[in-house]
C-alpha cells in the first residue's frame, strides 16, 4: 500500500483500523496512487465506463448502480466535481453499511441525483430502479462468491434470472407504500424514512453489496472482528443425493422468502418433498412432511404462477386447524409479495386424508372449500385459491385461475428439525443415568453426583 493511501486512511475517523486498510487499497487502485479519484477514471463522455468500473469494483456491479455511486461521489448536473477525496469515498461505504436513517436518506437522494431535504419528494420510478440495481448487484455477488451455501444452491440449478431479480427489486421498493399493490408516483421524505428503518432486507442486501465492492474481507485471513454482512441464503440440506434437481424457484425467491421467516429459521432449509422426485402422491407428501417442524410449501401452477405458505407447526393429519400467527402466505412469480396473518381467525394450516365428512387435502387460510391455498388429496395435482381470505392480511388470489393444475410442488423444512419425544428424553439423561454401574461406584465411594442437584424439573 502506498504512503499516500495510508495517510488518507488514517485521517478518516469514520472507519475502523481494519476497514482503513481495505478501503485504502481499493481507493489506491481507483485513484492510481493519487489522493483523489478523478471523474474521468470512472466516466467517459458523461456515461459510466463499465470496463473501467469493472477494474475497480469487479464485474458484479450493475451498471445502474455504478452510475448512482458516481452521482454520490462526484455530484450530478452543473455542480458535478471532477474528482473526490478519500473521505467522500469512505462516506459512501460507511453510510450504506451502518449509517443512521438520515445518512442513508442523504445517500439515497444524492445517488439518485437529488438534494436531500424534508420537502423534496422522490419519484417512485427512480426508487424502484435504485432497488433493482441493489438487488441485481447483490445476486451477482452471490453468484460470484465461493461461499459453500451459495454454490450448493447454484450447482443444483437455482439461478439468479434477470426477470426474478428485477421482481425482487420491485418488491423491496413497493414496500415503501402501505399497500404494496397500490401504484404511487412520488415518495415523501417521511415515507422513505420509515421505509429505510423497517426494510431489513434492503439494508442487508446493501450491506453485503458495499462490503464486497469496497474489498472488505477479500482474503480469508482478515480479522473475524471486521464487520461483515449476512449472506441472506440458508444452508440447503438434503440436495446432495440428487445430481439433477428439478429447480423451479430462483435464488431471488430464496432470498425473499428467507428474509421473511422468523430469524431462528433462516439458517437452514431441509428438503422434504418434490412432486417431480417423489411422484404425484398426496400420501407420499403427507408422510414426508409430518413431524418436521416449520415448513415452506411452494407451488407452481400450470400458468407459471409460483406461490405458497409458511407453516409454523409440524404438519399432522387431523380434523383441526393448527399453526400460529407467525405463518404467512406468499407469491414469488410473477411478483413477490408476503401476506402476514391477521387475528380474524386461526385457520393457519390443515392436513387431512381419508376423512369422510371433512375436506381431504392440505389447506392454508380461509374456510373449508374456500382456502387461501388448497391442495387436493384425491386426485393429487389439483388445487384452488379463493378470491379472498380473511386469515391473511392483504391477500389476493395467488394462482392465476381460481382452480389450477399443479406443475410443481415442493416442501422445505426450515430451521433445525425438532427433536422427537424419545430424542428429547435421551438428551435430558446424564452419563450416569445411562451407566448404572458408574453410578453405583460413586455411591460406594461417597462421592456426590452434582448433576442431580442442578437438573431442571420435568415439565408439568
Amino acid at each position: 500500500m502506498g504512503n499516500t493511501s495510508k495517510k488518507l486512511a488514517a485521517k478518516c475517523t469514520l472507519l475502523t483500523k481494519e476497514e482503513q486498510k481495505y478501503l485504502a487499497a481499493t481507493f489506491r487502485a481507483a485513484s492510481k496512487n493519487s489522493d483523489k479519484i478523478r471523474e474521468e477514471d470512472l466516466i467517459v463522455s458523461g456515461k459510466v465506463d463499465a470496463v473501467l468500473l469493472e477494474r475497480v469494483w469487479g464485474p458484479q456491479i450493475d451498471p445502474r448502480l455504478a452510475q448512482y455511486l458516481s452521482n454520490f461521489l462526484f455530484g450530478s448536473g452543473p455542480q458535478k466535481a471532477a474528482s473526490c477525496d478519500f473521505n467522500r469515498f469512505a462516506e459512501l461505504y460507511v453510510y450504506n453499511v451502518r449509517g443512521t436513517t438520515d445518512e442513508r436518506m442523504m445517500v439515497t437522494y444524492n445517488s439518485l441525483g437529488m438534494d436531500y431535504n424534508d420537502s423534496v419528494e422522490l419519484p417512485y420510478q427512480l426508487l424502484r430502479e435504485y432497488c433493482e440495481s441493489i438487488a441485481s448487484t447483490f445476486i451477482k455477488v452471490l453468484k460470484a462468491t465461493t461461499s459453500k451455501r451459495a454454490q450448493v444452491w447454484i450447482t443444483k440449478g437455482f439461478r439468479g434470472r434477470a426477470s426474478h431479480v428485477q421482481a425482487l427489486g420491485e418488491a423491496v421498493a413497493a414496500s415503501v407504500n402501505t399497500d404494496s399493490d397500490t401504484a404511487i408516483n412520488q415518495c415523501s421524505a417521511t415515507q422513505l424514512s420509515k421505509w429505510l428503518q423497517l426494510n431489513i432486507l434492503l439494508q442487508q442486501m446493501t450491506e453485503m453489496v458495499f462490503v464486497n465492492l469496497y474489498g472488505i474481507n477479500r482474503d480469508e485471513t482478515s480479522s473475524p472482528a471486521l464487520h461483515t454482512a449476512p449472506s441472506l441464503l440458508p444452508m440447503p440440506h438434503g440436495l446432495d443425493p440428487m445430481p439433477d434437481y428439478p429447480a423451479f424457484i430462483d435464488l431471488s425467491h430464496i432470498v425473499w422468502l428467507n428474509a421473511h421467516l422468523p430469524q431462528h429459521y433462516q439458517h437452514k432449509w431441509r428438503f422434504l418433498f418434490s412432486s417431480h422426485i417423489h411422484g404425484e402422491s398426496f400420501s407420499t407428501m403427507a408422510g414426508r412432511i409430518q413431524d418436521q417442524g416449520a415448513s415452506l410449501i411452494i407451488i407452481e401452477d400450470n400458468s407459471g404462477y409460483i406461490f405458497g405458505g409458511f407453516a409454523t407447526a409440524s404438519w399432522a393429519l387431523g380434523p383441526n386447524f393448527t399453526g400460529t400467527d407467525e405463518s404467512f402466505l406468499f407469491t414469488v412469480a410473477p411478483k413477490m409479495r408476503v401476506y402476514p396473518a391477521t387475528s380474524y381467525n386461526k385457520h393457519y394450516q390443515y392436513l387431512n386424508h381419508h376423512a369422510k365428512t371433512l375436506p381431504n387435502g392440505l389447506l392454508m387460510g380461509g374456510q373449508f372449500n374456500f382456502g387461501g391455498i388448497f391442495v387436493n388429496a384425491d386426485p393429487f395435482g389439483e388445487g384452488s385459491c379463493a378470491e379472498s381470505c380473511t386469515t391473511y392480511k392483504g391477500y389476493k388470489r395467488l394462482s392465476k385461475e381460481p382452480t389450477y393444475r399443479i406443475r410443481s410442488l415442493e416442501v422445505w423444512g426450515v430451521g433445525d428439525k425438532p427433536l422427537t419425544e424419545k430424542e428429547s428424553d435421551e438428551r435430558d439423561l446424564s452419563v450416569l443415568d445411562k451407566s448404572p454401574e458408574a453410578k453405583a461406584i460413586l455411591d460406594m465411594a461417597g462421592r456426590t453426583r452434582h448433576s442431580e442437584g442442578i437438573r431442571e424439573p420435568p415439565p408439568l
Side-chain angles (χ1 to χ4, degrees):
M1 185 186 305
N3 289 331
T4 301
S5 295
K6 282 185 177 179
K7 291 176 181 177
L8 286 168
K11 291 179 181 179
C12 186
T13 57
L14 296 171
L15 303 171
T16 66
K17 288 184 178 180
E18 283 291 312
E19 289 172 334
Q20 287 174 13
K21 179 175 69 173
Y22 288 99
L23 265 68
T26 303
F27 185 84
R28 182 177 62 132
S31 66
K32 301 181 176 64
N33 265 343
S34 70
D35 60 355
K36 289 184 181 291
I37 297 177
R38 298 174 303 163
E39 182 188 359
E40 54 263 36
D41 291 335
L42 301 177
I43 305 295
V44 176
S45 301
K47 295 182 179 179
V48 172
D49 185 340
V51 175
L52 285 174
L53 278 174
E54 287 178 6
R55 293 175 190 166
V56 178
W57 279 316
Q60 69 267 28
I61 192 168
D62 183 283
R64 291 171 298 178
L65 182 59
Q67 181 64 66
Y68 300 145
L69 303 193
S70 176
N71 288 344
F72 181 87
L73 294 174
F74 305 107
S76 59
Q79 305 301 319
K80 181 181 291 185
S83 62
C84 78
D85 60 16
F86 184 85
N87 272 8
R88 186 65 172 172
F89 186 71
E91 283 174 353
L92 180 60
Y93 166 82
V94 172
Y95 294 163
N96 277 287
V97 170
R98 58 172 181 273
T100 65
T101 301
D102 274 348
E103 287 167 346
R104 292 169 63 204
M105 288 274 283
M106 184 264 292
V107 166
T108 304
Y109 273 83
N110 290 175
S111 296
L112 296 175
M114 301 177 67
D115 291 328
Y116 165 50
N117 66 67
D118 291 344
S119 63
V120 175
E121 291 191 326
L122 193 67
Y124 174 73
Q125 184 59 34
L126 274 181
L127 183 68
R128 174 175 170 173
E129 290 185 12
Y130 180 73
C131 291
E132 288 175 2
S133 75
I134 292 288
S136 172
T137 305
F138 171 76
I139 295 297
K140 288 174 183 288
V141 167
L142 279 186
K143 293 169 77 171
T145 184
T146 57
S147 160
K148 181 182 177 182
R149 67 177 62 195
Q151 289 305 312
V152 171
W153 288 111
I154 292 166
T155 56
K156 293 302 180 183
F158 295 84
R159 310 294 184 215
R161 294 183 174 87
S163 60
H164 297 313
V165 174
Q166 184 177 7
L168 175 61
E170 185 276 335
V172 170
S175 63
V176 74
N177 199 21
T178 305
D179 182 355
S180 297
D181 291 317
T182 300
I184 57 173
N185 295 320
Q186 303 285 332
C187 310
S188 69
T190 301
Q191 279 180 299
L192 284 167
S193 178
K194 184 177 180 181
W195 175 72
L196 285 170
Q197 292 176 56
L198 298 178
N199 201 311
I200 304 301
L201 175 57
L202 173 65
Q203 177 59 16
Q204 289 179 326
M205 288 196 300
T206 302
E207 188 177 345
M208 185 171 178
V209 162
F210 280 88
V211 162
N212 279 270
L213 291 184
Y214 274 73
I216 305 297
N217 279 352
R218 192 164 281 166
D219 61 87
E220 296 180 358
T221 62
S222 59
S223 167
L226 192 63
H227 187 82
T228 55
S231 72
L232 287 177
L233 278 181
M235 177 64 78
H237 286 249
L239 294 181
D240 291 342
M242 293 166 287
D244 299 315
Y245 184 79
F248 67 93
I249 63 172
D250 191 77
L251 276 180
S252 301
H253 299 155
I254 298 169
V255 168
W256 172 255
L257 292 175
N258 204 50
H260 285 85
L261 295 177
Q263 192 171 12
H264 54 282
Y265 294 128
Q266 293 180 4
H267 65 288
K268 181 192 298 182
W269 284 20
R270 296 172 285 110
F271 173 65
L272 300 179
F273 175 81
S274 164
S275 58
H276 295 295
I277 294 173
H278 301 109
E280 296 187 359
S281 165
F282 189 85
S283 295
T284 301
M285 182 187 76
R288 293 187 64 86
I289 69 175
Q290 290 183 74
D291 303 318
Q292 294 290 329
S295 60
L296 284 167
I297 310 292
I298 307 176
I299 300 168
E300 180 184 25
D301 70 13
N302 52 332
S303 298
Y305 280 45
I306 304 176
F307 53 90
F310 167 56
T312 57
S314 285
W315 289 99
L317 292 171
N320 299 316
F321 283 96
T322 59
T324 71
D325 61 6
E326 286 188 317
S327 65
F328 57 79
L329 298 187
F330 62 84
T331 174
V332 292
K335 61 183 178 181
M336 300 188 197
R337 295 290 187 270
V338 163
Y339 305 106
T342 67
S343 58
Y344 188 83
N345 59 47
K346 297 182 179 180
H347 298 173
Y348 303 121
Q349 58 184 102
Y350 164 92
L351 186 73
N352 215 345
H353 202 196
H354 303 308
K356 293 184 178 179
T357 59
L358 292 171
N360 289 305
L362 181 152
L363 185 148
M364 292 191 72
Q367 309 288 337
F368 291 148
N369 303 317
F370 299 97
I373 295 175
F374 181 68
V375 174
N376 199 14
D378 186 20
F380 184 80
E382 295 182 356
S384 61
C385 288
E387 294 297 328
S388 62
C389 174
T390 54
T391 311
Y392 293 100
K393 183 180 179 181
Y395 170 92
K396 296 174 178 61
R397 191 181 70 224
L398 304 175
S399 54
K400 184 173 183 181
E401 304 296 338
T403 60
Y404 58 86
R405 288 287 306 170
I406 295 173
R407 181 182 295 173
S408 309
L409 188 155
E410 62 186 24
V411 185
W412 294 84
V414 293
D416 296 317
K417 181 181 176 182
L419 296 174
T420 64
E421 192 172 325
K422 180 181 178 182
E423 289 170 334
S424 181
D425 289 343
E426 288 178 350
R427 191 176 70 171
D428 288 339
L429 294 175
S430 75
V431 174
L432 293 180
D433 289 327
K434 299 176 185 177
S435 178
E437 294 84 359
K439 196 173 183 179
I441 291 172
L442 281 179
D443 286 337
M444 291 172 62
R447 299 288 294 277
T448 302
R449 297 190 297 275
H450 297 286
S451 62
E452 291 190 353
I454 60 174
R455 185 174 296 170
E456 292 184 2
L460 297 176

